Amino acid sequence: MMEKQALPASSCSLVLLEETKKSPITLSNGGGGSGYAPAAANGSLVPLTVAGTGVAGGVVGTACVGQDKKGGVVNGAGPGYQERETWTRQMDFIMSCVGFAVGLGNVWRFPYLCYKNGGGVFLIPYLLIVFVGGIPIFFLEISLGQFMKAGSINVWNIAPLFKGLGYASMVIVFFCNTYYIMVLAWGFYYLIKSFTATLPWSSCNNEWNTPSCIEIFHHQDCKNASFANITIGSSNMTCADLADARSPIIEFWENKVLNISSGLDEPGKMNWELILCLMAVWVLVYFCVWKGVKSTGKIVYFTATFPYVVLIILLVRGVTLPGAYDGIMYYIKPNWSKLEEAQVWIDAGTQIFFSYAIGLGALTALGSYNRFNNDCYKDAFILALINSGTSFFAGFVVFSILGFMAAEQGVDISQVAESGPGLAFIAYPKAVSLMPVAPLWAALFFFMLLLLGLDSQFVGVEGFVTGILDLFPGKHYHRYKREIAVAICCLLCFIIDLSMVTQGGMYVFQLFDYYSASGMTLLWQAFWECIVVAWVYGADRFMDDVARMIGYRPFPWMKWCWSFITPCVCIGIFLFHLVNYKPLTYNNVYVYPWWGEVIGWCLALSSMLCIPVSLLYKLFRAKGTFKERWAHLTTPVWGAHHLEYMAPDIKSLSSMSPGIDDNKVIIFESVM
């Protein structure tokens, strides 16, 4: 615990305590029967009772809830107040953040955006936005959670008027938890199918294959135009037919796994195999989360580290394949003309916010379980380096394999894999099918894929449940409160997921991915987070609070980013996104109907409108002039732990208040 420092007395936000020689009073985090009465809503003087052993009737003082800059309301923590859990060791927090932030996005989203946006040129806007947007907000969310010791909703007690930010992040993370797990269900399906002597996606002799299926593309034999009508291999296909030929892995993905229909308006029947896989994954997530951070902190040690072992093995195998060099060069060599396209910058910003898990509230929840004086500033840089480094490393693995597939099919690298999550279910399975003992490698890869997504998923659920439980303080304590809350969350998401295991499920999945937890919503969320902390609460004031926690002031760059640079970046990319908006398509062929886009915009607006609607509602409900309403609603509500960590020791009170008798009233500031 950090040393408690004496604070100067102030004209407001004061707690008056009477100390007696016989019965010294100690401040505790809800222990020992100490109770902090919540302040009245109108900012009046409120009696504060602190019970002490042997003090008849307790000791009564007053807490002035004023509107001064450093004022605040002390949040009640009665006898039922439950002390917040903390990580068993600090490495639990690091591994949980690595597990959450390093996920499927690093494997299939980042490489896909790379080849879509001109290869290596994508790294330029990516790295730029990391330093002006990613790291500052990543640090902001972790430090805010650690400072307020609350989940994504109650953390905004730092400026109660903007509590809508908490509700917005809860909506986003709920949608994200709902659709993200589908990738895990597909991965689990592939994992089960891997336990066969011959991988089902390696041949064309299956019921789901079409006459266009061909296992080996003989492009070398077709280079001479005079042989255009010669039959190639044993497939009875001519060179002219080769252009329309399809790989067995693509047919397995589209015809067997998805069994995809013609559009969103044709949901078709449910895939019972996928339903069982989905159910199994949700059960797995439930038992990872149900006991809280004490259990999740241990599980992530395995789920966060094992994928790196498999990625290294796949890279070694990938670079030895023919065509790998061309693929890696496509990844590294930038196409400078792409920098002129707004979409490249939009995708870079979107990827940063998605990959760093910004705006979802889960980082805030993880930070809230830290010790109060943990060095979260250093943690933020370590985690950012690991996250971006993994994305960059995974790109080499993917592009070495894409280069091989392009060489095999005789096409440009950008045409090898279809867009979307299919990259992980087309390029990677193709690579493992070419290795000796293919089923073993396939099982290993999809087990890694499952672990990559699993820790991201259960930490996302943890963040959502933490935010919900924080709304019900200790007086609502129930022995199995957490277990019940997690069960309800998982069940509700599972019911929604049933729409994604139909034949039209892929179209529903893309709606969620494109609108609910993608660029627009995360940029909007990040913009308001910066505005509230930097301009409503005060950037300098929050930097002081961070210094109080970690023992030194962070580099001023953070403050400049929160105040000016990051909000401008966020709103700039947000506006670019609106101006350059294009209707959603699937594989650049199927265009969504108008009512499908309406559903998508409803998903996006359901979180984005939480902030302005909540703000207006609170302002209209409050009393007084606009200035009085604003002052009251932006006064922070402090938790009991702020008293414990920020208040001076009772024994030193007499020394800081000269001329006052030991039995007289001692005054000290109750908040920062």
Side-chain angles (χ1 to χ4, degrees):
M1 185 184 297
M2 67 185 293
E3 184 182 351
K4 297 173 183 176
Q5 302 175 21
L7 297 171
S10 160
S11 61
C12 209
S13 285
L14 300 179
V15 177
L16 299 116
L17 292 177
E18 182 177 348
E19 183 187 17
T20 64
K21 292 179 181 178
K22 295 181 181 179
S23 305
I25 301 168
T26 57
L27 293 175
S28 67
N29 193 5
S34 299
Y36 302 97
N42 60 5
S44 59
L45 295 176
V46 182
L48 177 71
T49 303
V50 184
T53 307
V55 182
V59 184
V60 180
T62 58
C64 172
V65 184
Q67 314 301 338
D68 65 326
K69 187 173 177 66
K70 293 203 173 188
V73 181
V74 180
N75 197 19
Y81 176 76
Q82 296 295 310
E83 188 170 353
R84 195 171 191 81
E85 281 185 293
T86 55
W87 302 104
T88 307
R89 57 181 66 86
Q90 197 52 35
M91 187 53 72
D92 293 2
F93 166 69
I94 297 291
M95 297 306 291
S96 294
C97 285
V98 168
F100 181 54
V102 177
L104 296 171
N106 300 79
V107 175
W108 64 261
R109 196 180 182 111
F110 180 84
Y112 157 61
L113 290 176
C114 253
Y115 90 72
K116 174 189 171 188
N117 293 307
V121 75
F122 183 69
L123 298 176
I124 297 171
Y126 178 85
L127 291 174
L128 190 63
I129 297 174
V130 161
F131 286 102
V132 301
I135 294 176
I137 303 180
F138 192 85
F139 171 57
L140 174 66
E141 292 198 356
I142 291 176
S143 57
L144 199 58
Q146 183 173 311
F147 180 63
M148 295 299 291
K149 285 203 172 293
S152 55
I153 296 178
N154 281 356
V155 77
W156 295 106
N157 280 337
I158 201 167
L161 177 60
F162 294 89
K163 221 168 182 178
L165 270 165
Y167 297 116
S169 67
M170 293 289 281
V171 173
I172 295 172
V173 80
F174 176 77
F175 286 145
C176 200
N177 290 340
T178 301
Y179 84 86
Y180 188 84
I181 202 166
M182 278 309 302
V183 185
L184 301 187
W186 294 327
F188 191 59
Y189 182 82
Y190 271 80
L191 176 63
I192 294 170
K193 294 292 182 181
S194 299
F195 294 105
T196 55
T198 304
L199 293 175
W201 58 81
S202 62
S203 67
C204 291
N205 306 320
N206 305 288
E207 59 180 352
W208 57 82
N209 293 125
T210 64
S212 301
C213 180
I214 182 171
E215 295 176 23
I216 303 172
F217 290 77
H218 298 265
H219 288 287
Q220 295 295 330
D221 299 337
C222 292
K223 285 191 174 179
N224 191 333
S226 61
F227 294 107
N229 294 318
I230 291 180
T231 301
I232 297 300
S234 59
S235 58
N236 295 323
M237 294 183 71
T238 64
C239 289
D241 298 329
L242 204 59
D244 299 322
R246 289 166 64 84
S247 165
I249 178 61
I250 294 177
E251 293 208 336
F252 177 79
W253 167 244
E254 291 195 345
N255 300 346
K256 175 62 177 171
V257 181
L258 299 180
N259 194 14
I260 197 163
S261 66
S262 60
L264 186 64
D265 53 344
E266 291 184 25
K269 59 184 180 182
M270 288 187 178
N271 186 332
W272 66 269
E273 290 179 314
L274 275 183
I275 292 175
L276 292 177
C277 291
L278 182 67
M279 191 181 300
V281 177
W282 267 121
V283 169
L284 213 58
V285 169
Y286 176 79
F287 286 108
C288 286
V289 177
W290 71 322
K291 289 299 182 185
V293 296
K294 298 294 184 185
S295 60
T296 55
K298 303 297 179 291
I299 296 168
V300 289
Y301 277 90
F302 177 68
T303 60
T305 55
F306 182 75
Y308 288 96
V309 177
V310 182
L311 277 176
I312 291 170
I313 295 170
L314 287 173
L315 178 64
V316 172
R317 174 56 178 161
V319 295
T320 59
L321 295 170
Y325 176 79
D326 294 331
I328 291 173
M329 287 309 296
Y330 185 86
Y331 176 50
I332 296 173
K333 187 178 179 181
N335 177 4
W336 296 102
S337 63
K338 285 283 186 178
L339 287 176
E340 300 172 3
E341 297 180 16
Q343 189 63 42
V344 175
W345 295 86
I346 290 170
D347 286 342
T350 302
Q351 173 61 16
I352 292 295
F353 288 87
F354 188 86
S355 177
Y356 278 47
I358 288 167
L360 301 177
L363 290 175
T364 307
L366 294 178
S368 72
Y369 296 117
N370 278 336
R371 289 174 294 106
F372 189 78
N373 59 344
N374 170 62
D375 192 348
C376 52
Y377 183 61
K378 179 184 70 177
D379 291 348
F381 280 93
I382 293 172
L383 291 166
L385 180 65
I386 293 172
N387 194 337
S388 294
T390 305
S391 295
F392 190 63
F393 174 69
F396 283 97
V397 182
V398 170
F399 274 85
S400 63
I401 295 165
L402 288 180
F404 164 71
M405 291 181 68
E408 184 204 16
Q409 297 182 19
V411 295
D412 187 70
I413 296 169
S414 61
Q415 299 175 17
V416 171
E418 296 176 10
S419 61
L423 185 65
F425 300 106
I426 295 172
Y428 272 66
K430 179 66 177 175
V432 292
S433 68
L434 298 168
M435 297 181 185
V437 201
L440 171 66
W441 291 105
L444 193 65
F445 167 73
F446 288 111
F447 184 55
M448 177 206 73
L449 199 72
L450 200 59
L451 294 182
L452 266 176
L454 190 62
D455 46 18
S456 298
Q457 180 71 25
F458 69 64
V459 175
V461 174
E462 172 70 50
F464 181 78
V465 172
T466 298
I468 295 293
L469 293 181
D470 280 351
L471 296 176
F472 302 97
K475 61 183 179 181
H476 298 289
Y477 177 73
H478 184 278
R479 184 179 177 185
Y480 298 109
K481 180 169 70 171
R482 164 172 280 276
E483 289 86 340
I484 294 170
V486 175
I488 293 172
C489 172
C490 292
L491 184 63
L492 190 58
C493 289
F494 175 76
I495 293 170
I496 298 173
D497 285 332
L498 291 177
S499 65
M500 300 182 203
V501 293
T502 61
Q503 289 176 278
M506 189 60 182
Y507 303 110
V508 179
F509 173 86
Q510 276 215 320
L511 267 184
F512 272 82
D513 183 44
Y514 192 75
Y515 290 101
S516 68
S518 192
M520 295 177 298
T521 53
L522 299 182
L523 289 164
W524 176 259
Q525 184 79 2
F527 170 77
W528 282 106
E529 284 181 10
C530 290
I531 294 297
V532 172
V533 171
W535 295 102
V536 179
Y537 182 74
D540 284 312
R541 188 180 177 189
F542 189 65
M543 289 285 274
D544 291 340
D545 296 336
V546 171
R548 195 74 182 257
M549 290 192 296
I550 67 177
Y552 61 91
R553 285 182 72 87
F555 188 66
W557 172 256
M558 290 294 173
K559 181 179 71 175
W560 301 335
C561 284
W562 296 337
S563 303
F564 306 105
I565 303 172
T566 307
C568 289
V569 169
C570 291
I571 205 68
I573 298 176
F574 180 82
L575 291 174
F576 266 127
H577 192 97
L578 288 180
V579 171
N580 294 277
Y581 172 78
K582 296 175 182 175
L584 178 61
T585 61
Y586 177 71
N587 281 350
N588 298 318
V589 177
Y590 173 74
V591 179
Y592 278 68
W594 67 267
W595 54 270
E597 284 198 68
V598 170
I599 293 173
W601 278 106
C602 287
L603 291 173
L605 292 174
S606 62
S607 64
M608 293 168 69
L609 290 178
C610 284
I611 302 167
V613 169
S614 172
L615 185 147
L616 293 173
Y617 175 77
K618 285 177 179 288
L619 279 175
F620 280 120
R621 291 274 295 176
K623 296 179 181 179
T625 64
F626 177 79
K627 188 176 180 181
E628 289 171 342
R629 297 182 192 193
W630 178 270
H632 168 61
L633 290 170
T634 55
T635 301
V637 179
W638 303 117
H641 72 281
H642 289 108
L643 290 176
E644 179 181 352
Y645 285 102
M646 299 298 184
D649 291 319
I650 296 296
K651 291 181 181 179
S652 65
L653 289 180
S654 56
S655 62
M656 65 174 274
S657 305
I660 298 180
D661 187 77
D662 284 348
N663 291 321
K664 300 294 184 182
V665 170
I666 305 296
I667 300 176
F668 69 94
E669 194 167 21
S670 68
V671 293
M672 283 55 61

